[in-house]
């Protein structure tokens, strides 16, 4: 038996013995995903954890994802597998800046992408995921809306909803933001006839050239259904996973040198084993007022069909 498999089996045994649930985002290394009970995008993971009997959850992802699990399951002990793992975009905007905006712009709703800290969500009106953003923004009565933090996802939503006026700030994902139209042209030349699927966190010059723009889960579904080759324009974990599970598929990674999110790669199977055994990681603790405010922001999304 290979060493990697032995470690996966050991994690499996320890999870069962200790009643621990392991969640892994699709951007995690394949060996970490292989040891998880549930894999998927951030909100799908939080939703999945809510319905599970385990009292302890280990989140292999970044901090805002572990916070979202805690918001939906406050009674569980939620552990972030590696305390260094934090989405830079989630922390780009201070709650005080939103509060100042609200004071100056009463009646303008503030929409927060799920990639935000719980403290930021707590001062916003409604949360969105990359797959629900267009639907949720469209369901708001108001025309003027502040959309934070990702200006590229915001620009994508604006392009789908010309009747709305989205106010965008300067936030972005450093990984997806690095992709350019020149990368697309190069990849299309290297793989003629292949379709292009990208995440909406990419620049408008990239989303404009894509055949499909969608969340992690939507990109996976699109790539699996496609009858032609697909160039994947999102963090490489998605491509790694697809290639491992579907080696027969013709899949290419758009600009491989740019598409690694370092924060998503901190967790290793060995460190995960330590977390399951109760050593390592960071227990997520949220201030009760932050918890109430952020939960309200997420519940509003669910109320609006997100
Ligand atoms: P998803 O919500 O599509 O999984 O995206 C999370 C993320 O971090 C995108 O970069
Ligand atoms: Fe954050 Fe971008 Fe990494 Fe996603 S890929 S976790 S948005 S930095």
């Amino acid at each position: 038996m290979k060493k990697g498999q032995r470690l996966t089996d050991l994690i499996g045994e320890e999870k069962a013995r200790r009643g621990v649930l392991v969640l892994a985002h699709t951007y995690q290394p394949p060996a970490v995903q292989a040891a998880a009970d549930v894999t998927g995008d951030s909100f799908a993971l939080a939703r999945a954890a809510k319905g599970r009997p385990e009292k302890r959850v280990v989140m292999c992802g970044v901090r805002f994802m572990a916070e979202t699990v805690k918001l939906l399951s406050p009674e569980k002990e939620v552990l972030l597998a590696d305390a260094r793992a934090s989405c830079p975009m989630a922390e780009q905007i201070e709650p005080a800046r939103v509060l100042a905006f609200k004071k100056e712009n009463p009646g303008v709703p503030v929409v927060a992408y799920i990639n935000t800290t719980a403290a930021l969500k707590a001062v916003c009106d409604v949360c969105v995921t990359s797959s629900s953003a267009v639907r949720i923004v469209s369901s708001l009565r108001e025309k003027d809306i502040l959309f934070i933090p990702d200006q590229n996802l915001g620009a994508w939503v604006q392009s789908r909803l010309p009747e709305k006026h989205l106010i965008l700030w300067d936030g972005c994902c450093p990984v997806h933001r690095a992709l350019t139209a020149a990368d697309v042209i190069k990849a299309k030349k290297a793989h003629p006839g292949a379709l292009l699927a990208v995440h909406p966190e990419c620049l408008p010059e990239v989303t404009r050239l894509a055949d499909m723009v969608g969340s992690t889960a939507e990109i996976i579904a699109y790539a699996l259904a496609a009858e032609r080759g697909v160039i994947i324009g999102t963090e490489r974990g998605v491509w790694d996973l697809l290639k491992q599970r579907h080696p027969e598929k013709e899949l290419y990674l758009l600009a491989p040198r740019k598409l690694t999110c370092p924060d998503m790669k901190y967790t290793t199977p060995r460190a995960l084993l330590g977390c399951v055994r109760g050593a390592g990681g960071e227990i997520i603790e949220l201030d009760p007022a932050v918890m109430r405010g952020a939960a309200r922001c997420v519940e509003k999304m669910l109320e609006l069909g997100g």
Side-chain angles (χ1 to χ4, degrees):
M1 194 192 290
K2 282 196 188 140
K3 193 168 155 242
Q5 186 57 47
R6 266 209 312 275
L7 205 47
T8 309
D9 291 348
L10 195 52
I11 295 170
E13 285 162 23
E14 292 283 329
K15 280 189 305 189
R17 198 159 69 83
R18 295 166 189 262
V20 177
L21 175 70
V22 174
L23 308 173
H25 189 267
T26 28
Y27 293 173
Q28 289 290 297
V32 172
Q33 295 198 47
D37 297 292
V38 193
T39 60
D41 57 33
S42 63
F43 197 58
L45 292 175
R47 272 184 143 160
K50 192 174 161 62
R52 299 276 304 218
E54 292 90 344
K55 298 270 175 288
R56 288 186 65 223
V57 183
V58 178
M59 174 77 211
C60 305
V62 289
R63 185 169 291 100
F64 84 82
M65 296 179 177
E67 287 185 349
T68 310
V69 174
K70 184 74 183 171
L71 290 179
L72 264 59
S73 304
E75 75 291 354
K76 295 190 198 287
E77 182 182 89
V78 179
L79 209 78
L80 173 63
D82 190 304
R84 294 169 296 176
S86 167
C87 167
M89 175 162 67
E91 296 176 14
Q92 277 163 349
I93 293 171
E94 283 299 319
R97 189 172 168 202
V98 173
L99 290 171
F101 173 91
K102 287 185 132 184
K103 207 165 162 192
E104 282 164 27
N105 301 273
V108 176
V110 183
V111 175
Y113 185 24
I114 190 132
N115 291 40
T116 43
T117 60
L120 187 53
K121 284 186 184 78
V123 297
C124 295
D125 298 298
V126 59
C127 188
V128 296
T129 63
S130 48
S131 56
S132 71
V134 172
R135 195 167 60 248
I136 301 290
V137 170
S138 142
S139 74
L140 298 175
R141 264 181 299 114
E142 296 83 355
K143 178 175 163 61
D144 295 327
I145 294 157
L146 173 62
F147 186 99
I148 58 165
D150 188 7
Q151 58 182 303
N152 295 315
L153 175 60
W156 164 248
V157 174
Q158 178 70 83
S159 74
R160 315 301 291 172
L161 301 172
E163 69 281 14
K164 296 285 186 193
H165 171 237
L166 266 63
I167 303 160
L168 305 177
W169 284 353
D170 43 7
C172 69
C173 160
V175 179
H176 290 90
R177 157 75 184 78
L179 296 171
T180 61
D183 292 325
V184 173
I185 292 162
K186 193 172 156 201
K188 285 196 166 184
K189 212 167 154 189
H191 311 294
L195 299 163
L196 174 67
V198 305
H199 199 279
E201 289 171 13
C202 294
L203 288 171
E205 68 178 47
V206 172
T207 51
R208 262 198 295 274
L209 297 173
D211 297 288
M212 182 268 179
V213 179
S215 67
T216 315
E218 288 166 342
I219 291 176
I220 291 173
Y222 180 82
L224 291 180
E227 286 173 3
R228 284 153 65 182
V230 181
I231 303 167
I232 308 280
T234 191
E235 211 280 340
R236 68 167 302 137
V238 169
W239 182 80
D240 287 332
L241 182 78
L242 283 168
K243 286 302 284 179
Q244 198 183 57
R245 298 201 181 155
H246 305 275
E248 76 290 356
K249 287 275 197 205
E250 214 188 306
L251 302 170
Y252 313 101
L253 186 60
L254 174 63
R257 301 232 302 249
K258 295 182 174 178
L259 281 171
T260 299
C261 172
D263 284 270
M264 279 288 185
K265 307 302 182 197
Y266 281 130
T267 309
T268 61
R270 188 151 293 284
L272 173 57
L273 177 62
C275 286
V276 172
R277 286 175 166 163
E282 173 188 323
I283 296 177
I284 298 298
E285 290 184 273
L286 296 171
D287 171 87
V290 163
M291 188 105 158
R292 276 194 303 278
R296 179 197 34 74
C297 186
V298 173
E299 276 154 20
K300 186 73 187 170
M301 167 171 77
L302 297 174
E303 218 178 284
L304 295 175

